[in-house]
């Protein structure tokens, strides 16, 4: 994953993977993951190659491993998350319309 370019489509929840020559390698988000996503806005890849996705219309953050298995869903106090990042301790930073949350 470190040598790839990822493109997230929030209207049609897919995460496309490309190599540096812009040749599409594969669609990371398989059908089993699509059921968990509704208008994903952003994502980040953590140190374990897990995908952490801000899931705007479902009011949550979903975490998938690099094979597409759902690992965890964060819902506590999250409303319309549109940004996600990691802090230096590995904590998940979530930006919503009104708050900055750290998990």
């Amino acid at each position: 994953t470190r040598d790839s370019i990822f493109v997230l489509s929030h209207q049609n929840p897919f995460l496309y993977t490309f190599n540096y020559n812009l040749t599409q390698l594969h669609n990371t988000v398989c059908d089993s993951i699509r059921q968990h996503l509704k208008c994903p806005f952003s994502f980040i890849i953590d140190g374990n190659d897990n995908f952490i996705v801000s899931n705007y219309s479902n009011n949550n953050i979903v975490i998938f491993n690099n094979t597409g298995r759902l690992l965890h869903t964060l819902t506590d106090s999250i409303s319309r998350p549109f940004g996600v990042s990691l802090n230096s301790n590995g904590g998940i930073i979530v930006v919503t319309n009104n708050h900055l949350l750290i998990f």
Side-chain angles (χ1 to χ4, degrees), residues 79-99:
S79 177
R80 306 289 190 214
F82 58 85
V84 65
S85 188
L86 295 173
N87 66 19
S88 60
N89 298 324
I92 300 171
I93 301 169
V94 179
V95 178
T96 70
N97 288 334
N98 300 314
H99 297 92

Side-chain angles (χ1 to χ4, degrees), residues 7-103:
V7 177
L8 179 67
S9 169
H10 69 268
Q11 293 176 342
N12 204 2
F14 281 102
L15 183 63
Y16 298 100
T17 307
F18 296 87
N19 65 18
Y20 285 116
N21 296 323
L22 296 181
T23 302
Q24 184 171 341
L25 300 176
H26 61 280
N27 174 3
T28 303
V29 180
C30 58
D31 287 337
S32 62
I33 292 175
R34 288 190 76 202
Q35 68 184 342
H36 300 286
L37 298 177
K38 186 173 181 187
C39 197
F41 252 55
S42 67
F43 73 96
I44 193 163
I45 301 171
D46 69 11
N48 296 317
D49 287 342
N50 296 319
F51 291 83
I52 303 169
V53 183
S54 64
N55 202 14
Y56 186 83
S57 292
N58 280 345
N59 297 311
N60 61 24
I61 302 297
V62 289
I63 304 170
F64 302 99
N65 69 9
N66 61 0
T67 64
R69 186 171 63 91
L70 179 66
L71 299 177
H72 195 65
T73 303
L74 302 174
T75 58
D76 188 39
S77 302
I78 298 175
S79 177
R80 306 289 190 214
F82 58 85
V84 65
S85 188
L86 295 173
N87 66 19
S88 60
N89 298 324
I92 300 171
I93 301 169
V94 179
V95 178
T96 70
N97 288 334
N98 300 314
H99 297 92
L100 179 70
L101 308 168
I102 300 176
F103 293 90

